[in-house]
Amino acid sequence: MESLASSSTVQLQSPPSGLSINTTPKPRNSVTFKHRSKQVWCTSSSTMKTSATDPSTKKAKEAKLWGGRFEEGVTDAVERFTESISFDKALYKQDIMGSRAHASMLAHQGLISVSDRDSILQGLDNIERRIEDGEFVWRTDREDVHMNIEAALTDLIGEPAKKLHTARSRNDQVLTDFRLWCRDAIDNIVARIEHLQVALVTLAMKNENLIVPGYTHLQRAQPILLQHLLLAYVEQLDRDAGRLLDCRQRLNFCPLGACALAGTGLPIDRFMTSHDLGFNAPMRNSIDAVSDRDFVLEFLSANSITAIHLSRLGEEWVLWASEEFGFLTPSDSVSTGSSIMPQKKNPDPMELVRGKSARVVGDLVTLLVLCKGLPHAYNRDLQEDKEPTFDSTKTIIGMLEVCAEFAQNITFNREKIKKALPAGHLDATTLADYLVKKGIPFRTSHDIVGKSVALCVSKNCQLQDLSLDELRSVNPVFDEDVYEFLGVENAVKKFCSYGSTGSECVAEQLDFWVTKLQINTAGHK
């Protein structure tokens, strides 16, 4: 299989779904090879295109665009090891966008003719169309996305294409592409965060007045409204979106024109290219422009925090879907079964959300270790920043999408939750508040309620089941009005602080999110 791959043009793996490039359909006269869970196809011998890495065509190997001072080409092993086209072709759209802006600037500054600019722009349009139609052949001997496009442009329009690389290096070119790609990816992720927020708020509106146990240390603590809990995740997601948008603002500066590291002696206009590409401004320092990966670290850090939030949501819903809790039931459309136990109905999507968070965190750690100890300016190590970023983006988008799908396909089991509520003396803190209102210091109130709970434990009952005489046996301050504070329904009604789980407070929170997310409330009131 390896020898076949090295002697034929192999269709390279597509980039993350929805973010860049179209997949190429399987051609006629092809042979499909199965290896474990993957399928790989290569063209059959009658239609096989020979690549520059084929030993039989070594004499025909294309000269590198950077190869002027070299007397011999790199070995096949080095070429295979150093190529990045297998993954950085995902940047093709951004690369072409940057080249269009660069060509226009060069013509505006008189560094190339208008005629050459027009030829370059037409050629780039042609290449972009061929890529998106699946007609473009990506060649590993051309190393990366930039060299593939530039060499193809030279094949297409000739000499004018050779002027395109005036006053730029692959160093500033790839950073420009990568910043543009990350900017698009952030927009994509933020849109999916909002979609999940809408799903959670909609789920909250469908479950008005549903009281559930609130937990600390995974022990029953106080009664809360389910809406309040769901809105807690909405708040977390809002901070996640905010972090990404902050990152977007910081990364939105243009490296193009920094060249290899020192800039150029040619009269380019970096402000023009920056403006045309939608950046805020050019980066001030050319060394920093080609060295900086802070924007990627920040992006993957933001993704990691989002992944942790989604993992926590996944953990909670997996627990709640268990027989031990039984608080929610996922529909069949978001559940899976067991190959051996026919009775099983598993919330697998949320388990995988919990599991895939490890990938996103791992991608961040990869980048942190990659950047540790690198001297200024550009180093080839930094080629390794793309795959973790692509993986982090693809994974977090998948996690967000499936969480929204799950939220739209679950039912909370009101009767089971109601039967489970009495356990745990959830109204104990509210009873302490009652005593504080009677003028008793909180620490003393805490002690009195603790003794009242101990009495309940000895009698195997709840606080609201104690008679007034029994309560007064603990402390004579109790009066008939105490029963307005006991029971989970009364306890929830007593919460009144801003941001609390009280009905009016939660209604205000819900109204805020309905307005901010522009949710149509028809059918939910």
Side-chain angles (χ1 to χ4, degrees):
M1 187 66 181
E2 185 177 347
S3 61
L4 180 60
S6 64
S7 62
S8 63
T9 299
V10 179
Q11 182 65 25
L12 299 166
Q13 184 180 2
S14 297
S17 173
L19 294 177
S20 195
I21 189 170
N22 298 332
T23 56
T24 305
K26 179 179 174 181
R28 296 181 180 179
N29 303 318
S30 65
V31 180
T32 300
F33 298 90
K34 291 185 178 180
H35 176 66
R36 293 184 183 175
S37 62
K38 297 181 179 179
Q39 285 192 348
V40 181
W41 59 260
C42 298
T43 50
S44 63
S45 57
S46 61
T47 60
M48 191 177 295
K49 297 178 183 179
T50 305
S51 79
T53 58
D54 186 346
S56 65
T57 62
K58 206 162 188 177
K59 292 181 180 178
K61 183 180 286 190
E62 182 176 83
K64 303 291 185 184
L65 295 180
W66 45 259
R69 65 149 290 176
F70 291 82
E71 295 182 1
E72 59 180 313
V74 299
T75 67
D76 291 344
V78 169
E79 193 155 83
R80 286 193 300 271
F81 187 70
T82 58
E83 67 83 21
S84 61
I85 188 58
S86 56
F87 54 85
D88 71 12
K89 67 175 184 176
L91 301 173
Y92 83 89
K93 189 175 287 292
Q94 290 78 18
D95 195 73
I96 291 173
M97 186 187 308
S99 290
R100 287 190 182 114
H102 189 66
S104 296
M105 181 276 295
L106 291 175
H108 184 268
Q109 296 299 108
L111 292 169
I112 65 173
S113 69
V114 172
S115 175
D116 286 344
R117 176 202 65 191
D118 291 345
S119 294
I120 290 169
L121 294 180
Q122 290 172 11
L124 290 171
D125 289 345
N126 182 285
I127 289 169
E128 185 174 37
R129 179 194 58 77
R130 285 164 52 197
I131 293 171
E132 293 180 349
D133 290 347
E135 299 170 358
F136 191 85
V137 177
W138 298 102
R139 293 176 49 165
T140 56
D141 62 321
R142 289 176 173 175
E143 298 181 22
D144 56 33
V145 62
H146 327 292
M147 303 295 263
N148 264 265
I149 290 174
E150 184 178 339
L153 186 65
T154 303
D155 293 342
L156 191 64
I157 67 172
E159 285 298 311
K162 298 180 181 180
K163 301 178 182 180
L164 178 58
H165 210 56
T166 302
R168 76 175 182 184
S169 161
R170 278 192 293 177
N171 295 358
D172 61 333
Q173 187 178 357
V174 68
L175 261 298
T176 302
D177 295 356
F178 203 20
R179 283 174 180 263
L180 289 170
W181 190 94
C182 289
R183 193 174 71 184
D184 293 342
I186 286 172
D187 292 342
N188 207 346
I189 294 168
V190 169
R192 282 164 171 78
I193 287 176
E194 183 174 320
H195 180 59
L196 175 55
Q197 288 179 298
V198 170
L200 291 170
V201 173
T202 302
L203 186 61
M205 289 191 292
K206 290 178 179 178
N207 290 276
E208 189 175 2
N209 298 323
L210 178 55
I211 300 173
V212 298
Y215 296 85
T216 63
H217 308 277
L218 206 55
Q219 302 295 318
R220 291 184 169 221
Q222 291 178 279
I224 58 173
L225 289 171
L226 175 65
Q227 292 177 318
H228 194 49
L229 178 60
L230 293 173
L231 293 179
Y233 283 106
V234 176
E235 295 282 351
Q236 286 184 327
L237 288 165
D238 201 54
R239 292 193 296 275
D240 293 332
R243 269 183 286 271
L244 286 163
L245 293 174
D246 288 346
C247 173
R248 189 190 194 281
Q249 179 68 15
R250 271 185 288 278
L251 73 77
N252 201 35
F253 291 86
C254 187
L256 198 58
C259 298
L261 83 161
T264 178
L266 296 170
I268 61 173
D269 185 346
R270 293 189 62 209
F271 287 88
M272 178 179 175
T273 48
S274 173
H275 177 271
D276 289 350
L277 292 170
F279 288 110
N280 295 336
M283 295 186 72
R284 279 191 298 267
N285 185 293
S286 62
I287 298 175
D288 181 51
V290 298
S291 303
D292 174 51
R293 291 302 186 280
D294 291 357
F295 71 96
V296 192
L297 293 172
E298 186 175 1
F299 178 29
L300 268 59
S301 177
N303 281 353
S304 296
I305 296 172
T306 303
I308 295 304
H309 289 157
L310 298 179
S311 181
R312 294 182 68 180
L313 175 63
E315 169 70 1
E316 192 147 72
W317 282 0
V318 167
L319 284 174
W320 282 26
S322 67
E323 288 292 336
E324 284 69 23
F325 277 79
F327 288 177
L328 69 81
T329 302
S331 73
D332 291 353
S333 62
V334 291
S335 304
T336 64
S338 166
S339 63
I340 188 172
M341 295 168 285
Q343 85 281 11
K344 292 293 295 297
K345 182 177 180 180
N346 302 324
D348 274 14
M350 300 313 290
E351 293 178 56
L352 280 171
V353 164
R354 195 174 57 193
K356 285 181 180 290
S357 64
R359 288 182 63 141
V360 181
V361 174
D363 290 328
L364 169 62
V365 173
T366 298
L367 258 293
L368 288 167
V369 175
L370 174 68
C371 293
K372 183 191 73 67
L374 285 182
H376 279 49
Y378 180 79
N379 298 274
R380 190 63 181 269
D381 313 49
L382 292 170
Q383 176 177 298
E384 294 299 304
D385 61 0
K386 311 298 181 305
E387 288 179 289
T389 305
F390 295 159
D391 182 69
S392 174
T393 301
K394 179 181 178 181
T395 304
I396 201 68
I397 284 175
M399 292 170 69
L400 288 163
E401 288 177 341
V402 83
C403 283
E405 194 81 6
F406 203 83
Q408 293 165 350
N409 288 279
I410 58 174
T411 303
F412 288 95
N413 304 322
R414 284 179 171 265
E415 288 304 312
K416 190 158 188 177
I417 292 170
K418 186 176 182 180
K419 290 178 181 177
L421 276 174
H425 309 289
L426 299 176
D427 49 357
T429 305
T430 308
L431 183 58
D433 291 343
Y434 164 82
L435 294 172
V436 169
K437 290 181 178 180
K438 293 289 185 178
I440 298 176
F442 179 77
R443 280 299 166 206
T444 305
S445 299
H446 188 285
D447 184 64
I448 293 170
V449 174
K451 292 175 180 177
S452 301
V453 170
L455 178 59
C456 288
V457 171
S458 69
K459 295 176 63 66
N460 191 27
C461 69
Q462 300 301 311
L463 285 166
Q464 64 183 341
D465 298 328
L466 293 175
S467 68
L468 186 56
D469 288 341
E470 287 171 326
L471 287 168
R472 283 175 171 170
S473 71
V474 178
N475 192 288
V477 74
F478 288 112
D479 208 341
E480 288 285 354
D481 60 349
V482 69
Y483 293 103
E484 296 174 11
F485 289 77
L486 296 178
V488 292
E489 291 83 3
N490 285 332
V492 167
K493 289 177 184 177
K494 295 301 179 182
F495 286 102
C496 60
S497 61
Y498 177 78
S500 71
T501 196
S503 299
E504 291 184 7
C505 301
V506 171
E508 290 176 1
Q509 295 175 47
L510 198 55
D511 287 343
F512 170 84
W513 286 111
V514 166
T515 301
K516 182 172 182 177
L517 297 170
Q518 300 181 338
I519 298 173
N520 184 356
T521 59
H524 297 296
K525 293 291 186 183

